[in-house]
Amino acid sequence: MVTGARRRRPALDRPARVALLLGVAGVGYRLALLLLDVPGSNSDEGTFGLVALHIAQGRAHPVFLYGQRYMGVLESYLAAPLFVVAGPSWLALRLPLLVLYALFVYLMYRLTRRIGSPWFAALVVGLLALGPERVVRDQLTAVGGRPEAKVAVAAMLLVAVGLAEGTLRRRRLAGVAFGALAGVAVWSDWLIVPYLAAAGLVLVFALRRELLGRAVALPLAGFAVGAAPMIYDNLTVPAGQRSWEVFQQVNAGDGGPVPALGERLRGGFAEGVPLAAGLCPPGGCAGWQAWFGLLYPLLLALAAGFAVVTLRRRVAHPVRPVTHLALVGAAALTLLGYVRSPLAASDPLASARYLAVLQLSLPAVLWPLWAAAVTGLTGRAARFGRGSRSEPTGRGSRGSRGEPAGPGGRVGGAVGTAGGRVRAVGGAVAVGALAALVGVALVATGLFVTDAAGIRAEERQARRLAETLRADGPRHVYGDYWTCGRLVFHTAEEVVCAVVDDRLGPGQNRYPAYWRAVGRAERPGYVLRPGSAAERRLTGLLAERNVPATVTDLGGYRLYRPASAVRP
């Protein structure tokens, strides 16, 4: 036996290796989808692509998305260098988002392991690796804000926890980085504000003894740097066009009737939450898929209760339950804002994308189930932050073989013999709930993969339309919103499309130069959906003016080439 020799600790323990395997599988799955043109593209994403194209060509350097003066365009700036190297394409537009996804999964693993436990972190990574259409679309389509904002918040929380526990050596730099990440996030998407507030509260707790010193100025200075494009733009535009004012106007809606509270709650929890969690196909949630949304408020309440009980016991690392509380509060505020919107009742399938940020709260929301499962199966109470790599596990620790001991606070106390049955039943229920969550997410992901052929067929139709117009003309056309932005990006502006509404009046033209260009064209064409109100209006105009037109069916599109100009 060799004495005095120190056994080298493996670079990755078992939970870390499992998490790495799951994370790589998640990235590989999404890369395969991108190479297959899945998820489908649309005109919102096409507009981000056009912004990236203009940046790559040096024609413009906008702060906000064309026609949407509160949505930052960081995703376009990330894609622009790829456009310079490889030319504009949907794949080049989306590859930076795949990198952001991988970074988000890594940060969530680090955060969950820090404030939860190693195997719990592996579970969270596994859930993030899965993804049906709604989840993958939020992660991989360039429609603004959420992918980069989630990365920013996860990094901010890790910084705040590190500052509280003294594991970050360069505290000043960390404070500046925290503020810069907050500034970038709020420029990208105002919907992330509840989570920025949560991260800010954790930072205040971490620096509570330094609030009267220079420590406060550092995050503020960083925020000014990160949000500099937004701040400059808001200082130079007229009143009423500042980003927060536009966001408030959009949030106010169209002034129509507001659905009843019960309808909004049902849409928010029975549809929105399960869709955002990746438990449902894009067509909606069946009863067996909606259970998680109905359980969600209870899980929030339990998570808050666990954290409060832990704090009252004056544990060695109070920032961990504080982080849990902050994540619970951010999720509750996000849900409150969502169910206040009429969209929660009128269109939960499309508006569920606004709940994509709830992924940040997974470590807090699922912790009560994990704690109950560990207690029921092992008879030992789960603790916050057990097995952090920065902490020794101590003599007698089981290391990565189980839930390792650590100095975090107990979530449950010792359970006596009389409570053994209750503990066992609770553990069985918790294990069943976690297994059901993983199983339903797996089924939803599988259903999405099997249905991807339809998405690819629709993408081929859009590509065929673009190739036909590029080859045979006309190069200037009118169309609906969901056709134009996508078509113009498909052709890299070789074909210009102006948006018209159902009456062939001016529609939502995010980039007014396209409307003017088509208006000057000698014989603009029309690209309309067969049977649409706009097509009926056009055929009426052609008959009234006795103008013949060549009509070509291109899959889900109908191309009109009038013999003489027919203006909207």
Side-chain angles (χ1 to χ4, degrees):
M1 179 177 180
V2 179
T3 60
R6 297 182 62 183
R7 181 179 298 176
R8 293 188 60 185
R9 189 174 183 179
L12 295 176
D13 57 17
R14 190 179 302 171
R17 292 196 296 270
V18 172
L20 177 62
L21 181 63
L22 293 172
V24 170
V27 173
Y29 162 60
R30 284 159 177 79
L31 177 59
L33 291 178
L34 291 185
L35 295 175
L36 295 173
D37 295 325
V38 177
S41 59
N42 60 42
S43 284
D44 284 345
E45 188 178 17
T47 304
F48 274 89
L50 291 168
V51 172
L53 177 62
H54 295 169
I55 294 169
Q57 295 173 342
R59 294 164 50 189
H61 296 87
V63 173
F64 297 110
L65 183 66
Y66 297 145
Q68 197 165 332
R69 289 193 46 79
Y70 66 87
M71 181 67 71
V73 287
L74 179 60
E75 293 170 11
S76 297
Y77 280 94
L78 293 175
L82 296 180
F83 283 20
V84 173
V85 174
S89 68
W90 297 105
L91 180 61
L93 180 61
R94 293 173 170 182
L95 279 177
L97 301 179
L98 181 63
V99 176
L100 288 174
Y101 163 78
L103 183 57
F104 174 66
V105 171
Y106 170 73
L107 292 172
M108 287 297 290
Y109 169 76
R110 292 287 305 276
L111 177 65
T112 306
R113 181 162 179 143
R114 194 73 177 266
I115 67 173
S117 71
W119 282 112
F120 181 52
L123 171 66
V124 169
V125 170
L127 288 171
L128 293 176
L130 299 173
E133 197 270 349
R134 175 72 274 163
V135 170
V136 170
R137 178 172 292 279
D138 289 331
Q139 293 169 341
L140 297 183
T141 55
V143 291
R146 290 174 290 279
E148 62 268 36
K150 290 192 298 183
V151 168
V153 170
M156 290 165 63
L157 289 169
L158 274 172
V159 168
V161 172
L163 287 172
E165 298 187 341
T167 58
L168 291 180
R169 296 180 180 177
R170 300 182 179 180
R171 295 176 65 84
R172 293 182 179 180
L173 180 60
V176 173
F178 183 98
L181 289 167
V184 170
V186 76
W187 167 42
S188 295
D189 191 352
W190 282 90
L191 292 174
I192 202 66
V193 166
Y195 281 92
L196 296 182
L201 289 175
V202 178
L203 182 70
V204 169
F205 181 84
L207 303 179
R208 59 192 182 280
R209 295 182 178 87
E210 308 170 45
L211 288 178
L212 299 180
R214 290 178 294 179
V216 178
L218 297 176
L220 294 178
F223 180 86
V225 173
M230 179 187 71
I231 294 172
Y232 174 79
D233 186 87
N234 286 330
L235 290 175
T236 57
V237 298
Q241 297 184 26
R242 301 181 183 96
S243 58
W244 68 83
E245 295 170 331
V246 176
F247 181 73
Q248 289 175 345
Q249 295 167 10
V250 173
N251 240 16
D254 56 7
V258 178
L261 177 60
E263 296 178 11
R264 286 179 278 135
L265 289 173
R266 182 177 58 81
F269 289 98
E271 295 278 358
V273 172
L275 278 165
L279 305 181
C280 307
C285 299
W288 60 276
Q289 296 167 316
W291 65 272
F292 182 69
L294 302 178
L295 185 63
Y296 203 85
L298 176 60
L299 291 176
L300 288 178
L302 288 174
F306 277 29
V308 169
V309 168
T310 304
L311 279 173
R312 293 184 64 181
R313 292 177 176 172
R314 298 184 179 181
V315 293
H317 295 271
V319 72
R320 299 174 183 180
V322 166
T323 304
H324 278 246
L325 273 177
L327 290 174
V328 168
L333 288 175
T334 298
L335 285 166
L336 177 62
Y338 180 69
V339 298
R340 288 182 60 193
S341 169
L343 291 174
S346 61
D347 195 6
L349 302 184
S351 62
R353 65 184 184 274
Y354 301 129
L355 297 179
V357 294
L358 292 181
Q359 287 183 332
L360 286 161
S361 291
L362 278 178
V365 173
L366 297 183
W367 180 252
L369 293 176
W370 180 264
V374 170
T375 302
L377 293 177
T378 68
R380 303 171 58 194
R383 300 180 181 185
F384 288 120
R386 305 183 77 172
S388 172
R389 292 297 298 273
S390 62
E391 301 170 358
T393 55
R395 183 176 297 179
S397 168
R398 290 167 50 180
S400 63
R401 296 179 183 176
E403 289 300 292
R410 287 183 180 273
V411 175
V415 183
T417 304
R421 292 182 180 178
V422 175
R423 181 187 66 202
V425 171
V429 171
V431 170
L434 289 172
L437 180 64
V438 174
V440 174
L442 273 169
V443 170
T445 301
L447 291 174
F448 169 54
V449 172
T450 58
D451 290 341
I455 297 174
R456 299 186 66 198
E458 205 276 333
E459 284 296 302
R460 286 193 294 269
Q461 290 179 358
R463 190 179 300 111
R464 180 188 173 197
L465 171 67
E467 292 170 352
T468 298
L469 293 176
R470 179 184 280 159
D472 303 327
R475 294 293 184 94
H476 295 81
V477 296
Y478 291 100
D480 63 41
Y481 174 79
W482 295 110
T483 298
C484 278
R486 188 185 192 186
L487 173 61
V488 176
F489 182 68
H490 254 308
T491 63
E493 294 186 308
E494 292 183 34
V495 175
V496 177
C497 185
V499 179
V500 292
D501 59 19
D502 289 345
R503 299 292 300 170
L504 298 189
Q508 186 183 5
N509 286 278
R510 291 186 178 275
Y511 194 60
Y514 295 153
W515 177 267
R516 295 191 294 268
V518 177
R520 294 191 298 266
E522 182 180 354
R523 287 171 49 197
Y526 285 81
V527 178
L528 303 172
R529 295 286 184 174
S532 64
E535 187 193 31
R536 292 192 295 270
R537 173 63 175 162
L538 176 62
T539 55
L541 285 178
L542 292 172
E544 289 174 11
R545 302 178 186 180
N546 197 26
V547 177
T550 302
V551 182
T552 305
D553 282 316
L554 296 168
Y557 303 91
R558 188 163 288 162
L559 171 62
Y560 285 81
R561 296 185 179 95
S564 60
V566 176
R567 306 291 180 185

